[in-house]
Amino acid sequence: MSQDFLDPEIFADFIIEAKEHLETIEPNLLELENNPDNLDILNEIFRPMHSLKGASGFLGLNIINGLAHKAENVLDELRKGEIGVTSEIMDVILLATDDLRRLIDNLHESGSEGEVDTSIVIDRIEAIMAGETPEPEIAVESADEVEPEPEVEGTEPVLDSVEYFEEHELSEVEMVQEPNSPESSDRKQSYQFVAIVNTEEEPYKLTTVGEGHLADFLEEAHEIIENLTRGLLELEQDPEGDEELINDIFRYFHNLKGNSGIIGFRELNSLTHEAETLLNKVRKGEAKATHIMIDLLLAVVDGIESLIAHVTPSTGEVQPLDIAQLVDPLQDAVERGEVLPVHGNSAEDEEQPEQAEAEVEEDAESGVAEDGLDPEDVAIFEQTVRQQLDNISLALTTLDEDSSQKDYIDGLFRSLVSIQNSAGYMGFDDLKEYGERTAGLVDQARITDMDFGMMLDLLRQECGIIEEMIDAAVAELKGGDGDSDSNQEAEVKVAPKVEEAPAPKPVAKPAPKVEAKPAPKVEAKPAPKVEAKPAPKVEAKPAPKVEDKSAPKVEAKPSPKPKAAPAPAKPVATSALKPAGGAPAPKANKPKAMTTIRVDHQKLDHLMNLIGELIISRGRYTMLARGLEEGHLEVPVVAQQLTETTYALSRISDDLQDTIMKVRMVAVQTVFSRFPRLVRDLSRKSNKRVELITEGEDTELDKSVVEEIGDPLVHLIRNSVDHGLEPEEERLANGKTPEGHVWLRAYHKGNSVAIEVEDDGRGIDPEKMRNIAVKKGVISADEARNLDDREAIELIFAPGFSSAEKVTDISGRGVGMDVVRNNIKDLKGSVHITSEVGKGSKFTLTLPLTLAIIDALMVQVNGANYAIPLDAVSETTKIEAERLTEVNNRKVVTLRGEVLGIAELAELLEQPVSDPNRDVLPVVIIHDNVRRLGLVVDKLLERQEIVIKPLGQFLNRFDLRGVSGATIMGDGSVVLILDPHEVYSMATVKGSLQS
Amino acid sequence: MEEDEIKLDAELIQLVTFSIAEEEFGVDILAVQEIIRTMDITKVPRAPVFVEGVINLRGKVIPIVDLRSKFGLETREHDQSTRIIVIEITDMIIGFVVDSVSEVLRIPANTIEPPPPVVSGLESEYISGVGKLEDRLLILLDLNRLLSDDEQEQLAQV
């Protein structure tokens, strides 16, 4: 929800950075797999993952944050050497990066994280952290599906897991504690379980009959945990509702209790026993399933999970954990018949999340940045909130002048929400709550359309307070002396809000608020200062948890630790605000993520210079014009100066164009970097050993092109690995190396860039292609006969065509290649295949350097002008009509010993041919890769640089083959740009259809 | 009840009215970006007949749809009164050629009635309603439907 209100700029920055992080992570992961001992690489992975976690938390992106956090944990374990690098772990981390990428893509496209199920990955990560073998079956299974003979590869996973076990035994004992996924769930839980190893107790052995027994137990336990989590979440939707559901949950606990009893797992047994007892009461109707109870039960599930994670599968030993933190509230609940909110009294204070404790203690004592907050986060926090504060003050000033400026109101709201999120992440709950409240105030005013002028005074005060709180918060984060002071201040400042909080609802009366504020400030200050340190958080907690919103706040005020309050209070607050804000707000604020580009500063300077020159030229024109008007300049002089100035101007505009193009250029590296991973996965899935060789990664292309070629290349590489490369035995039988090769190359070719995907596999058999195409009804048998080998191979691009005899989960569904061609066509590029049976195939994509400006040859047909991209023109010539002959219903001419097909451009464009009986035909010879075609036109015009304009969505609905876009001439007229590739295929289709 | 009626009475909608073949049409003024005189239109080969071509509208290439041929009426040469109404619909900017543009009208929303099955030969699917003026009828065009229809046609062809 919160990302709806993010500042679009920060949001866009985040997306860019996140993508960059993922891009650094992935290649390094692959590298790490080859050099498992290289700590540097590991650090290279850890750092971006950490940053990603930090930034996402900042923006309130819970799913990303949770996942990144998990991944970071694993990496940290690896870094500490507590677990070893195995390909299973790599798999899981790669999966995690996949999910992250998907989430970020969703963010980019739709502005929200979208629905990506990260639980599988998280579960696997947890399993790894717990020291379990992370289901190597997956790899083996899919391998089985694809190839029946996994002899060689098949042994690998086994080896891995053995190795894994060994390393793992060593590490298990040292694994002391890990917070058990508190962040991974995006729900705000009031009960949390923190795995604290009970050091007083020695690890003990479970009474299992062999390892198989234990494994069964663990497996079943995991299953139960899954079921429980699902059941509880379902129950939460409708706590009163389903009796059946409660029974189910009861049974799960019961089963687990039984199982743990059998193997003598004491902690688990007693924990499940308590949970079971509580649920039994619910079942009998003696207690009610409240949200708080579900929270508690979920914490219990976390606890169970953690307990199980501390079982060493190989030895059957278990590391006892402190479960009193869960057992006590459970017993308490059983006694009372209801679960109380998280309390500060009696034993229950133990169930405070440990982080909170740590936080609070450190606040009060040392003032050192809280754990988990590194200086980087702090810097980002400060920067963000400061920026938001600037925005706020700007918005307020503007609104002061004109209170009807909706944009600024929205901006104000966004800034407040940003502050809220940032503060929430940094653990400044008071600040967060305050920001949220003020944002809520703005939101309501926004929705009710009230006059904002009335609220400005109020808001200015509110924002002033926020600013002070931020100052205090930053000071606290930075450490330094007197921070506990400022800390107190920050907290005390919260006080006023307490009274205002109920007030904003009727919104329109600023007067009382003004009075209210100064008073508590003064009063409250001295008191807490004294009390703050000795009185621990314990007292603060009870009040806020109560459901009612306004009442507890007042009580909370004098207590020194409102800090703890916001977390539980938050659901209440949001639910109160949201319905009001509901529908209209998110719509208005949906951040359409911007795409940005990073520019070398020097290039910008250069652009600036050019603009300067441009302005000078403009001045010169004005001067010349005045000279003419006033008549003090001779016409010939003016003419000469005009020419000079025009030259200067064209030099400037050329330079401008060049520089802008350079700014837009990015290396194809950014796309290529994702393929080693792809090939690795494909190779594992298909059980073929494949080596990917990339060349020319630093070749630059327009950013818009680079962004679009990823998918087509994925298709091509998949195709090469899956269909192109033969299985190992076949390769050996054909005298090839057992390992298949796929080359990915980029290089400049004239005014365009070529990207090749080549494999040394079995190649494409044109005869086979013809047969399949006929069989699938793509073409008729007659047509098939008429195709030459090259055209037959190109059938691979026909929609619905798939030559694979069986569909694998990688490719072969016949949707890939035509999509490839269409995508490339959209980029004004073309695809071309060469293939030799038994030797391999090569797909060449030819792409324009940039999409915006091209060189073109202008021709005239039937009174209208057309532009043909010069890249595709090999020559222009004139041919006497009598030299034309007909072969196979196609007009051809022999030109310098080469037979060249000739077509009337007018005919292809379904226009009347203006003069069918000419003696001399102007011909443009175009080439589509190596194939050439002569186009007869009415008139050859000049060559020109043109700016490509899209024809637009409306015209794209129609089948306008042969036309790829339009351009605007100097005189303002529109000229259509032809697509040589399509023109060529139209000519050949015409030829073969007529036959 | 009474209040409702009063409110409806007060609700005026603004329409740009234009004529094609003696018939008067209206479109919501909010959809109209601008009205321009006719200019040189570049024909687009292989486009449907009702697409007259494309023009350069201040550096943007926009398609021009002839409403006469879209409605299946006889086309005619552009003349002094021919206008292109530039309209933005669902992120597309399209120019519609009409015989002439008459005026901007405010009519109460409650004088607009749902379309009869057939209005002067024009299929009622393109019509969102009929506005009753003092002495004549005004046909309100549903441009969205007018265009989405092309898509279906196109699909049917494929």
Side-chain angles (χ1 to χ4, degrees):
Chain A
M1 84 183 194
S2 48
Q3 57 257 44
D4 285 346
F5 310 110
L6 289 176
D7 184 313
E9 240 176 78
I10 296 180
F11 193 67
D13 281 352
F14 169 72
I15 289 173
I16 295 176
E17 267 183 33
K19 286 187 169 168
E20 278 175 7
H21 287 325
L22 289 176
E23 260 160 37
T24 12
I25 291 171
E26 213 170 84
N28 280 326
L29 277 175
L30 297 180
E31 182 120 17
L32 183 66
E33 202 174 6
N34 298 327
N35 302 306
D37 299 327
N38 193 332
L39 202 67
D40 285 347
I41 304 178
L42 198 50
N43 279 329
E44 287 298 312
I45 304 170
F46 181 81
R47 241 174 282 129
M49 190 64 90
H50 179 75
S51 310
L52 188 59
K53 179 192 94 170
S56 59
F58 228 87
L59 297 178
L61 302 167
N62 292 325
I63 310 177
I64 296 178
N65 184 248
L67 189 55
H69 179 71
K70 285 283 155 197
E72 188 196 359
N73 283 352
V74 179
L75 291 169
D76 201 30
E77 294 287 315
L78 290 172
R79 214 160 57 137
K80 290 186 204 144
E82 298 191 355
I83 48 178
V85 175
T86 67
S87 48
E88 273 67 40
I89 294 182
M90 289 299 113
D91 269 349
V92 176
I93 301 177
L94 283 170
L95 279 178
T97 55
D98 281 350
D99 279 355
L100 286 171
R101 190 187 303 276
R102 219 170 307 139
L103 286 161
I104 287 159
D105 285 348
N106 285 348
L107 265 186
H108 186 87
E109 278 152 23
S110 63
S112 76
E113 290 172 298
E115 303 214 340
V116 174
D117 185 11
T118 54
S119 63
I120 307 165
V121 176
I122 289 181
D123 286 351
R124 284 182 72 183
I125 290 177
E126 269 165 13
I128 288 179
M129 299 289 288
E132 231 174 76
T133 324
E135 303 147 47
E137 316 101 67
I138 292 185
V140 179
E141 232 173 57
S142 60
D144 279 342
E145 270 170 30
V146 182
E147 295 292 340
E149 62 278 322
E151 316 122 58
V152 186
E153 313 280 279
T155 54
E156 260 181 34
V158 180
L159 277 173
D160 284 346
S161 52
V162 169
E163 171 193 9
Y164 180 73
F165 262 110
E166 281 165 4
E167 299 205 23
H168 177 213
E169 270 170 58
L170 296 173
S171 63
E172 177 58 37
V173 191
E174 290 161 30
M175 266 169 60
V176 181
Q177 67 163 31
E178 85 250 3
N180 202 306
S181 78
E183 275 137 285
S184 68
S185 81
D186 46 356
R187 322 167 49 257
K188 283 272 176 276
Q189 273 177 284
S190 52
Y191 283 95
Q192 273 174 313
F193 176 77
V194 181
I196 304 167
V197 173
N198 206 336
T199 40
E200 284 152 34
E201 290 192 56
E202 286 294 309
Y204 61 92
K205 221 167 151 52
L206 298 173
T207 54
T208 53
V209 195
E211 208 189 316
H213 186 184
L214 183 64
D216 285 350
F217 163 74
L218 289 176
E219 198 181 312
E220 203 178 337
H222 279 296
E223 214 173 282
I224 291 175
I225 289 169
E226 253 176 61
N227 289 335
L228 273 174
T229 315
R230 204 180 39 234
L232 286 170
L233 292 178
E234 212 172 303
L235 186 65
E236 190 172 40
Q237 302 298 318
D238 182 13
E240 314 284 339
D242 210 341
E243 260 187 56
E244 201 53 46
L245 196 57
I246 294 172
N247 276 333
D248 280 348
I249 295 170
F250 171 75
R251 257 198 311 278
Y252 292 139
F253 277 119
H254 181 77
N255 287 350
L256 198 54
K257 178 182 121 181
N259 292 352
S260 56
I262 294 171
I263 60 168
F265 198 156
R266 295 192 292 266
E267 282 83 5
L268 185 57
N269 189 255
S270 53
L271 187 56
T272 43
H273 172 75
E274 295 303 337
E276 184 198 1
T277 321
L278 178 58
L279 272 162
N280 201 18
K281 280 201 123 172
V282 177
R283 215 159 58 126
K284 288 186 198 148
E286 289 168 29
K288 272 177 83 178
T290 57
H291 284 286
I292 305 163
M293 182 188 285
I294 292 167
D295 275 350
L296 176 58
L297 287 172
L298 279 169
V300 170
V301 175
D302 284 348
I304 295 172
E305 210 172 342
S306 193
L307 282 169
I308 288 170
H310 285 76
V311 175
T312 316
S314 50
T315 58
E317 271 191 359
V318 59
Q319 177 74 49
L321 295 180
D322 173 18
I323 54 161
Q325 49 177 322
L326 292 169
V327 171
D328 292 347
L330 279 171
Q331 280 171 344
D332 194 51
V334 171
E335 266 169 46
R336 294 167 196 252
E338 62 173 334
V339 179
L340 291 186
V342 184
H343 263 250
N345 54 17
S346 79
E348 280 171 47
D349 61 347
E350 268 175 282
E351 81 211 21
Q352 299 311 335
E354 200 197 23
Q355 294 101 306
E357 273 175 49
E359 198 180 284
V360 169
E361 277 159 20
E362 289 196 27
D363 281 354
E365 288 161 24
S366 61
V368 178
E370 290 139 73
D371 69 327
L373 301 179
D374 58 28
E376 203 186 329
D377 285 351
V378 174
I380 302 173
F381 171 71
E382 188 181 359
Q383 196 193 347
T384 315
V385 291
R386 293 262 179 250
Q387 198 181 344
Q388 297 310 335
L389 278 178
D390 289 349
N391 291 350
I392 288 175
S393 78
L394 173 72
L396 286 176
T397 323
T398 317
L399 287 170
D400 207 16
E401 284 154 17
D402 176 5
S403 62
S404 62
Q405 299 235 33
K406 194 97 179 53
D407 287 354
Y408 283 95
I409 301 177
D410 289 348
L412 190 60
F413 179 64
R414 265 203 306 276
S415 299
L416 286 165
V417 175
S418 296
I419 290 181
Q420 172 203 332
N421 284 335
S422 311
Y425 179 67
M426 298 301 285
F428 291 108
D429 288 341
D430 47 0
L431 178 54
K432 175 181 162 210
E433 196 186 1
Y434 207 83
E436 186 175 337
R437 242 169 243 290
T438 318
L441 201 69
V442 176
D443 197 28
Q444 273 210 334
R446 194 165 67 144
I447 285 146
T448 48
D449 242 7
M450 60 174 288
D451 182 11
F452 227 76
M454 300 163 67
M455 287 182 64
L456 277 174
D457 274 346
L458 168 64
L459 281 173
R460 206 167 290 125
Q461 278 164 7
E462 301 281 309
C463 294
I465 296 165
I466 288 180
E467 195 169 344
E468 281 169 41
M469 285 167 74
I470 287 170
D471 285 346
V474 170
E476 180 190 335
L477 283 174
K478 287 189 170 159
D481 2 69
D483 72 309
S484 76
D485 254 24
S486 59
N487 191 6
Q488 296 314 331
E489 240 168 336
E491 275 149 20
V492 174
K493 297 259 167 54
V494 185
K497 111 204 139 204
V498 169
E499 283 177 12
E500 281 155 27
K505 289 287 144 53
V507 185
K509 35 167 191 170
K513 244 142 273 152
V514 183
E515 286 171 15
K517 187 155 321 127
K521 225 190 223 166
V522 180
E523 278 177 80
K525 214 169 188 167
K529 242 189 195 156
V530 187
E531 275 171 26
K533 270 171 224 170
K537 62 270 160 196
V538 182
E539 281 175 24
K541 256 124 199 177
K545 188 57 210 188
V546 186
E547 299 289 340
D548 185 290
K549 189 165 154 206
S550 47
K553 284 290 127 66
V554 183
E555 283 170 27
K557 178 174 59 167
S559 80
K561 281 291 177 224
K563 266 213 151 156
K570 195 196 162 206
V572 184
T574 31
S575 64
L577 294 171
K578 272 291 134 54
K587 216 199 243 163
N589 283 294
K590 197 86 188 161
K592 183 88 181 92
M594 302 179 266
T595 56
T596 52
I597 201 164
R598 292 195 177 185
V599 180
D600 179 5
H601 197 271
Q602 279 191 338
K603 286 180 185 162
L604 268 188
D605 284 349
H606 187 61
L607 279 177
M608 196 59 218
N609 284 340
L610 287 173
I611 299 292
E613 287 188 50
L614 201 59
I615 287 166
I616 294 170
S617 294
R618 187 186 63 190
R620 251 187 109 176
Y621 278 119
T622 324
M623 195 195 74
L624 286 172
R626 199 182 309 132
L628 270 182
E629 270 169 20
E630 291 165 6
H632 63 74
L633 281 177
E634 293 294 318
V635 172
V637 176
V638 174
Q640 199 220 335
Q641 292 204 358
L642 262 182
T643 321
E644 272 171 29
T645 317
T646 311
Y647 272 130
L649 191 65
S650 65
R651 187 182 52 79
I652 296 165
S653 69
D654 283 355
D655 206 345
L656 263 179
Q657 183 189 333
D658 262 16
T659 317
I660 286 289
M661 288 245 304
K662 274 188 207 137
V663 165
R664 291 181 57 95
M665 290 294 203
V666 280
V668 288
Q669 166 74 46
T670 45
V671 203
F672 278 18
S673 63
R674 47 197 251 218
F675 296 122
R677 163 76 196 286
L678 176 75
V679 170
R680 171 190 180 274
D681 289 357
L682 290 173
S683 142
R684 276 172 79 101
K685 265 191 187 162
S686 60
N687 251 320
K688 296 172 186 168
R689 273 195 281 159
V690 186
E691 194 190 346
L692 177 76
I693 303 140
T694 54
E695 291 165 14
E697 292 102 321
D698 49 0
T699 312
E700 288 192 328
L701 264 173
D702 193 276
K703 185 176 162 67
S704 51
V705 181
V706 168
E707 277 168 358
E708 298 297 322
I709 52 169
D711 288 346
L713 285 177
V714 168
H715 276 298
L716 289 176
I717 288 174
R718 275 187 181 168
N719 193 68
S720 286
V721 176
D722 206 35
H723 301 314
L725 296 178
E726 317 90 326
E728 217 164 294
E729 309 78 57
E730 201 180 318
R731 289 185 69 86
L732 287 170
N734 290 333
K736 293 184 183 176
T737 53
E739 188 174 56
H741 297 88
V742 174
W743 287 269
L744 183 60
R745 296 188 193 96
Y747 55 90
H748 283 277
K749 192 171 106 184
N751 212 2
S752 43
V753 165
I755 298 181
E756 288 178 359
V757 177
E758 186 179 355
D759 63 71
D760 59 352
R762 52 169 80 97
I764 303 171
D765 182 355
E767 202 43 51
K768 203 170 145 197
M769 300 299 281
R770 284 193 192 99
N771 293 341
I772 294 167
V774 173
K775 211 158 70 194
K776 297 212 169 180
V778 178
I779 51 170
S780 72
D782 272 349
E783 282 171 324
R785 258 196 304 283
N786 256 315
L787 297 174
D788 61 27
D789 280 0
R790 192 191 306 284
E791 286 164 336
I793 291 174
E794 302 228 324
L795 282 171
I796 197 171
F797 291 119
F801 185 90
S802 169
S803 72
E805 271 122 38
K806 77 184 166 193
V807 171
T808 71
D809 63 341
I810 303 174
S811 54
R813 288 176 213 283
V815 285
M817 298 305 264
D818 62 317
V819 174
V820 170
R821 185 156 70 174
N822 287 339
N823 285 355
I824 298 300
K825 190 205 122 186
D826 288 346
L827 295 172
K828 316 268 177 279
S830 59
V831 198
H832 167 69
I833 320 176
T834 50
S835 179
E836 203 174 325
V837 178
K839 291 257 176 74
S841 328
K842 180 160 85 181
F843 291 81
T844 309
L845 313 183
T846 312
L847 297 158
L849 272 180
T850 174
L851 291 182
I853 300 162
I854 57 167
D855 263 334
L857 176 74
M858 311 298 289
V859 297
Q860 198 174 66
V861 175
N862 198 24
N865 289 357
Y866 294 93
I868 305 176
L870 207 61
D871 265 356
V873 177
S874 48
E875 61 180 297
T876 57
T877 183
K878 294 201 169 165
I879 295 172
E880 296 88 48
E882 59 197 23
R883 281 172 60 196
L884 291 182
T885 49
E886 278 206 2
V887 175
N888 214 356
N889 273 322
R890 297 192 206 182
K891 282 184 198 155
V892 295
V893 67
T894 314
L895 191 71
R896 290 192 294 274
E898 197 192 330
V899 179
L900 181 72
I902 296 286
E904 282 276 357
L905 184 55
E907 266 177 32
L908 297 179
L909 296 174
E910 293 174 0
Q911 306 270 311
V913 179
S914 43
D915 181 11
N917 301 316
R918 286 166 295 180
D919 293 336
V920 176
L921 309 171
V923 172
V924 182
I925 301 177
I926 60 165
H927 59 97
D928 178 30
N929 284 302
V930 295
R931 303 167 307 183
R932 286 148 52 96
L933 174 75
L935 290 175
V936 181
V937 297
D938 291 353
K939 215 174 179 181
L940 293 165
L941 303 170
E942 73 288 346
R943 167 198 158 156
Q944 207 173 329
E945 240 179 17
I946 58 170
V947 179
I948 301 177
K949 305 266 177 184
L951 279 177
Q953 211 183 331
F954 178 65
L955 287 178
N956 282 343
R957 291 174 178 183
F958 309 109
D959 174 33
L960 298 179
R961 283 208 301 153
V963 177
S964 64
T967 187
I968 293 168
M969 295 287 98
D971 62 358
S973 64
V974 181
V975 165
L976 299 176
I977 304 169
L978 299 180
D979 180 332
H981 180 74
E982 282 185 353
V983 167
Y984 182 90
S985 65
M986 280 153 69
T988 49
V989 165
K990 252 194 149 55
S992 52
L993 284 183
Q994 278 164 6
S995 58
Chain B
M1 196 59 204
E2 252 182 46
E3 259 180 33
D4 275 358
E5 263 169 41
I6 291 165
K7 206 177 141 212
L8 269 180
D9 271 341
E11 208 176 307
L12 288 174
I13 53 171
Q14 279 197 73
L15 299 169
V16 173
T17 65
F18 54 89
S19 65
I20 299 168
E22 315 301 317
E23 209 66 63
E24 205 172 1
F25 295 88
V27 287
D28 190 344
I29 199 166
L30 294 176
V32 177
Q33 195 182 325
E34 61 190 293
I35 296 166
I36 52 176
R37 282 172 195 282
T38 171
M39 55 168 85
D40 272 349
I41 296 178
T42 303
K43 300 243 178 311
V44 179
R46 302 171 63 106
V49 274
F50 58 82
V51 175
E52 265 200 49
V54 288
I55 61 163
N56 164 18
L57 184 71
R58 289 187 303 276
K60 247 189 199 150
V61 175
I62 64 165
I64 300 299
V65 169
D66 186 1
L67 276 183
R68 268 179 170 262
S69 75
K70 180 72 203 168
F71 292 156
L73 302 169
E74 207 180 315
T75 53
R76 59 167 216 178
E77 288 292 302
H78 292 191
D79 60 22
Q80 276 296 308
S81 59
T82 307
R83 291 287 182 280
I84 296 173
I85 302 184
V86 180
I87 284 178
E88 192 179 342
I89 323 164
T90 57
D91 291 339
M92 301 184 290
I93 297 175
I94 298 172
F96 291 94
V97 178
V98 300
D99 289 357
S100 67
V101 169
S102 332
E103 56 185 329
V104 175
L105 267 187
R106 282 163 188 270
I107 62 169
N110 60 353
T111 60
I112 295 170
E113 286 178 5
V118 173
V119 179
S120 52
L122 191 63
E123 287 187 51
S124 62
E125 53 182 321
Y126 299 149
I127 296 169
S128 59
V130 175
K132 270 193 278 184
L133 304 182
E134 278 162 25
D135 50 348
R136 58 204 167 151
L137 288 179
L138 191 66
I139 303 168
L140 272 66
L141 281 184
D142 186 338
L143 293 161
N144 250 328
R145 230 179 288 168
L146 194 74
L147 293 176
S148 61
D149 187 57
D150 298 335
E151 215 159 54
Q152 281 154 15
E153 247 170 57
Q154 194 63 28
L155 281 176
Q157 277 173 23
V158 175

